[in-house]
Amino acid sequence: MNNFEALSLPPKLRTKMSEVRVRFAPSPTGPLHIGGVRTALYNYLFAKKTGGKMILRVEDTDQTRFVAGAEEYLIDALRWCGIKLDESVVDGGQFGPYRQSERKEIYLPYAEQLVRNGFAYYAFDTSEELTKMRERMKAAGVPSPQYNAITRTTMQNSLSLSVSEVKKRIERGDSYVIRIKMPRNEEVKLNDIIRGWVVVNTNNMDDKVIFKSDGMPTYHLANVVDDYTMKISHVIRGEEWLPSAPLHVLLYRYLGWEEKIPEFAHLPLILKPDGNGKLSKRDGDRLGFPVFPTEWTNPETGDVSSGYRESGYLPEAFINMLAFLGWNPGTSKELFSMNELCESFSLERVGKSAAKFDFDKTRWFNQQYLRAKSKEDLAKDLQEILKQNGVVANDDYVGKVCEQLKERATFVRDMWEEGKYYFVAPTSYDEKTIRKKWKEDTSNLLSEFKNRIEAISDFSSENIEKEFKSFLEENKLGMGKLLPAFRVSLTGLGMGPSLFDISSLLGKEETIKRMETALEKIN
Ligand code: GLU
């Protein structure tokens, strides 16, 4: 990034384009990483906020990096996140096709136009010749040799060879690429919405290949041609693309499209939780949390990387967390539904500095959304888990269980793991509670209290509690004398939600049965 001089002028959102059209343009080279989902999200939020269109373009020009299933993966992942597309490989649209490999014929005429106008040239160098050039330059003290205004004069290209030689080579089918002819010592400027003015001198840029020998454009040419032909108004993408932006600006200029150059917004990096380096795909599950929205199975190795969906995260929580990785609303409000994000989002409130990923915060978001869910919705999710565990219970009962447990849970599965006793009577009893709280007179007291319970006609939580308290009072006992024993006999555990609520929900018959079993087993 040292090539760049980012001036701190606050950029103004120019409004020269009437319709906002943004695109998320992933390359299907593997699963979509958290950073990619955030890019998609910010594009989506910006489109919604401005009444614009959200486009998905699959950038698959690099056939050597094709990964089976990656495109399907990203479409499914975006759907799970609630990021809706207006135009895409699935939804179609008037600017299609939306897969670059299907737009193949579009690019060559533009590359040739650049050659004709003196902005690009054919290069015939073999990989051995390129290696030799690099070695030569290194030996001459150039640490990172490039194909540029200096080295191009010594290479096999249409600037160094005669017109007839170039013609001959092309006609006999020699393999060639097309490179941009980077001018000497020119300043390229762009006003990034997030970073302000970015200025780079072309002396620090190389003659990038824009069209490859396999008949495909490279990312740079395809990206610019597609953004232009798809009428993209704003390019919102990760900071790793900032070094390419000046080249894109030049391509716009050389293709005669300077008037239509989109606005740029390069999003800050997402760092590992300790702030040490970028959170990368390779981090997989190594750091103890998923880096992918949904589970991914590597088609070659069969290795499975976990996803937020399969780990039990709610898409609302995942999205809320992601929105805050780089953006903030300027208030202390933290919980934003997708609709609220669409209303509140602005690129001006996206920070320049990298955002540290905070896994605990992600769990916190999930907890908040879980609590906010209706008992009916939660019951539906919990029923899935119950089914997997061979438990049959009616929706109404499951909903009430969820109501009692949701405050204590981070994931739906916690309600099963921590609340099995709502569905299955305990088979063992927490040893520590027994050791500390089941004293000599406990069995007698519990048994007496059981008789009192039998007489309650309306088995509500309040009535059980009332009866419990008067029993303690009559016997001059403190809470700690009987409550833990009562709890362990119903749940097998030492802790949990209100025991009177649990007992009422289990019902009188089940409560008594469990007390009797505990009285038999404990002692
Ligand atoms: N295909 C590029 C990627 O994989 C797109 C970069 C851009 O948005 O221009 O991220």
Side-chain angles (χ1 to χ4, degrees):
M1 193 66 74
N2 49 7
N3 288 348
F4 293 91
E5 188 191 340
L7 306 179
S8 56
L9 277 178
K12 261 203 280 148
L13 230 176
R14 284 168 281 161
T15 47
K16 62 181 178 193
M17 304 228 183
S18 44
E19 198 199 2
V20 167
R21 290 177 54 82
V22 294
R23 84 306 191 269
F24 175 52
S27 300
T29 55
L32 194 57
H33 159 259
I34 289 181
V37 189
R38 187 199 54 178
T39 300
L41 176 65
Y42 284 15
N43 272 285
Y44 176 71
L45 297 178
F46 183 70
K48 292 293 127 184
K49 171 75 186 224
T50 53
K53 293 270 187 306
M54 168 76 176
I55 293 127
L56 170 75
R57 182 172 73 227
V58 176
E59 299 209 326
D60 58 348
T61 55
D62 190 349
Q63 318 230 288
T64 59
R65 297 181 63 209
F66 173 81
V67 173
E71 183 182 307
E72 293 73 12
Y73 174 93
L74 73 94
I75 288 165
D76 176 56
L78 293 179
R79 200 171 287 149
W80 177 68
C81 292
I83 296 173
K84 298 190 196 83
L85 307 166
D86 295 302
E87 298 168 27
S88 75
V89 286
V90 180
D91 307 85
Q94 71 178 112
F95 297 91
Y98 293 90
R99 200 178 280 116
Q100 284 183 332
S101 56
E102 290 169 16
R103 301 170 68 79
K104 211 172 156 187
E105 305 72 47
I106 297 177
Y107 310 107
L108 185 58
Y110 289 115
E112 284 173 339
Q113 177 192 322
L114 288 169
V115 175
R116 264 196 322 276
N117 294 341
F119 298 119
Y121 59 91
Y122 299 108
F124 302 94
D125 314 276
T126 60
S127 55
E128 291 78 40
E129 283 163 341
L130 290 170
T131 312
K132 268 201 200 124
M133 179 270 277
R134 283 190 209 106
E135 283 168 358
R136 219 169 42 235
M137 296 305 287
K138 275 197 177 150
V142 178
S144 36
Q146 290 183 324
Y147 205 117
N148 58 20
I150 296 167
T151 50
R152 75 165 81 106
T153 56
T154 65
M155 305 300 286
Q156 308 285 314
N157 56 53
S158 58
L159 298 175
S160 63
L161 300 168
S162 69
V163 177
S164 59
E165 176 65 19
V166 170
K167 199 162 171 261
K168 192 174 89 192
R169 289 191 182 201
I170 292 180
E171 276 169 5
R172 75 173 178 225
D174 280 12
S175 155
Y176 67 85
V177 299
I178 298 177
R179 289 181 180 271
I180 186 162
K181 187 180 163 201
M182 202 43 79
R184 287 287 290 157
N185 202 21
E186 266 183 33
E187 285 205 329
V188 187
K189 293 185 186 163
L190 66 109
N191 193 0
D192 187 276
I193 295 172
I194 295 166
R195 315 195 66 89
W197 281 103
V198 174
V199 185
V200 64
N201 189 293
T202 52
N203 287 351
N204 296 317
M205 295 163 74
D206 63 340
D207 289 1
K208 281 262 177 317
V209 172
I210 55 173
F211 201 86
K212 295 179 288 182
S213 54
D214 66 359
M216 284 291 231
T218 58
Y219 154 72
H220 303 292
L221 181 69
N223 191 266
V224 165
V225 167
D226 286 346
D227 283 347
Y228 173 75
T229 54
M230 292 181 175
K231 293 193 164 32
I232 298 302
S233 63
H234 294 76
V235 167
I236 305 169
R237 61 185 171 194
E239 191 185 86
E240 65 273 28
W241 299 105
L242 186 59
S244 303
L247 169 61
H248 299 174
V249 169
L250 284 182
L251 283 171
Y252 269 92
R253 188 177 300 162
Y254 296 161
L255 286 163
W257 301 333
E258 199 155 27
E259 283 302 297
K260 294 286 164 58
I261 198 158
E263 301 282 340
F264 288 101
H266 287 91
L267 308 174
L269 292 177
I270 301 177
L271 301 179
K272 295 186 210 301
D274 63 5
N276 262 330
K278 193 177 149 187
L279 185 64
S280 87
K281 278 189 185 187
R282 283 178 300 279
D283 286 323
D285 292 307
R286 203 175 54 81
L287 299 171
F289 55 82
V291 296
F292 302 123
T294 59
E295 194 173 272
W296 166 256
T297 308
N298 183 319
E300 270 170 26
T301 60
D303 288 349
V304 177
S305 304
S306 70
Y308 282 85
R309 176 172 65 191
E310 292 73 13
S311 302
Y313 285 85
L314 301 166
E316 305 90 303
F318 178 65
I319 285 300
N320 200 153
M321 174 280 287
L322 271 188
F324 272 76
L325 279 181
W327 170 83
N328 73 77
T331 65
S332 56
K333 181 172 152 78
E334 288 190 283
L335 296 176
F336 282 80
S337 67
M338 187 66 110
N339 280 343
E340 289 173 316
L341 286 171
C342 292
E343 276 163 28
S344 314
F345 185 78
S346 79
L347 286 170
E348 281 78 7
R349 292 213 63 87
V350 174
K352 277 198 195 56
S353 43
K356 256 194 249 170
F357 183 75
D358 182 346
F359 189 52
D360 291 335
K361 193 74 192 191
T362 309
R363 293 170 57 90
W364 178 84
F365 273 117
N366 210 59
Q367 209 169 23
Q368 304 310 308
Y369 279 92
L370 195 88
R371 283 179 193 172
K373 272 202 161 200
S374 71
K375 64 174 197 272
E376 290 77 16
D377 281 351
L378 287 173
K380 224 184 277 159
D381 295 345
L382 183 56
Q383 282 284 25
E384 293 284 309
I385 300 175
L386 294 177
K387 223 180 282 162
Q388 288 159 19
N389 287 282
V391 172
V392 182
N394 71 50
D395 289 344
D396 182 51
Y397 181 80
V398 177
K400 286 178 180 154
V401 171
C402 291
E403 248 177 350
Q404 293 193 9
L405 282 170
K406 70 177 181 183
E407 291 299 317
R408 317 173 68 87
T410 303
F411 302 104
V412 172
R413 66 166 180 278
D414 294 344
M415 299 201 275
W416 163 244
E417 274 153 21
E418 286 162 29
K420 286 194 182 126
Y421 53 80
Y422 282 99
F423 308 99
V424 203
T427 48
S428 63
Y429 300 96
D430 181 58
E431 266 178 45
K432 200 168 135 206
T433 311
I434 307 286
R435 203 174 346 104
K436 287 197 168 161
K437 304 287 180 185
W438 202 287
K439 301 274 152 60
E440 243 171 71
D441 56 347
T442 304
S443 294
N444 279 342
L445 290 170
L446 195 67
S447 168
E448 261 178 60
F449 178 56
K450 181 176 73 76
N451 296 337
R452 298 281 288 262
I453 271 187
E454 275 179 321
I456 303 175
S457 54
D458 171 11
F459 206 64
S460 67
S461 176
E462 296 74 32
N463 287 347
I464 306 167
E465 184 170 3
K466 228 195 292 156
E467 197 59 45
F468 185 76
K469 284 189 173 152
S470 58
F471 179 78
L472 291 184
E473 235 167 74
E474 286 160 29
N475 292 285
K476 304 216 165 19
L477 300 169
M479 272 280 190
K481 198 75 184 149
L482 196 56
L483 196 65
F486 186 25
R487 180 181 293 282
V488 87
S489 69
L490 296 194
T491 69
L493 304 176
M495 276 187 315
S498 154
L499 190 60
F500 308 113
D501 290 350
I502 297 174
S503 172
S504 168
L505 191 54
L506 288 173
K508 186 153 89 175
E509 202 183 316
E510 182 68 14
T511 296
I512 288 169
K513 204 160 100 196
R514 290 191 184 188
M515 289 170 94
E516 282 169 349
T517 313
L519 284 166
E520 266 168 43
K521 287 197 176 169
I522 303 171
N523 269 339

